[in-house]
Amino acid sequence: GKTAHEICAALSAGLRDEEKIETYSMRPRFTCKCNIDKVYRTIALLPRAEMEETLAQEGEIEVKCEFCKRTYSLKGPELAEAYESSSTDDA
């Protein structure tokens, strides 16, 4: 296999021979913007009865970010706070 630089050089051969184009390398950077406030807003979208049923069965509700795979585990008082803050935001 060829590197990305070699492929680009082959594709652009002869296009701009008179001037040298500067090359550089760059590394992609992984960042995720998930946080507990976003988790609270998402949980507050669930019907409260469904949340309470899951909490009674499991003892906690687990939320996993599909982007970075971080897991948030929420218990009773935290979940009540999520619902209270969402109803305050709506007012």
Side-chain angles (χ1 to χ4, degrees):
K2 294 185 183 239
T3 66
H5 181 67
E6 291 169 335
I7 292 169
C8 287
L11 291 173
S12 62
L15 293 178
R16 298 179 105 178
D17 284 339
E18 68 280 350
E19 64 181 88
K20 181 167 171 92
I21 299 172
E22 190 176 324
T23 61
Y24 62 94
S25 64
M26 155 186 214
R27 294 180 186 241
R29 211 167 99 194
F30 171 82
T31 58
C32 182
K33 296 180 181 180
C34 71
N35 61 47
I36 194 67
D37 292 329
K38 290 180 182 178
V39 171
Y40 284 159
R41 286 193 302 258
T42 302
I43 289 291
L45 295 173
L46 292 172
R48 193 167 192 140
E50 183 179 330
M51 182 272 300
E52 289 172 352
E53 180 183 336
T54 303
L55 191 59
Q57 291 173 356
E58 305 293 328
E60 67 181 9
I61 291 182
E62 211 172 78
V63 178
K64 186 174 193 176
C65 174
E66 292 298 321
F67 187 71
C68 71
K69 306 301 182 206
R70 180 174 178 185
T71 301
Y72 296 88
S73 296
L74 305 172
K75 296 183 172 40
E78 294 168 302
L79 294 169
E81 182 181 327
Y83 277 95
E84 288 170 17
S85 67
S86 72
S87 63
T88 304
D89 291 342
D90 293 341

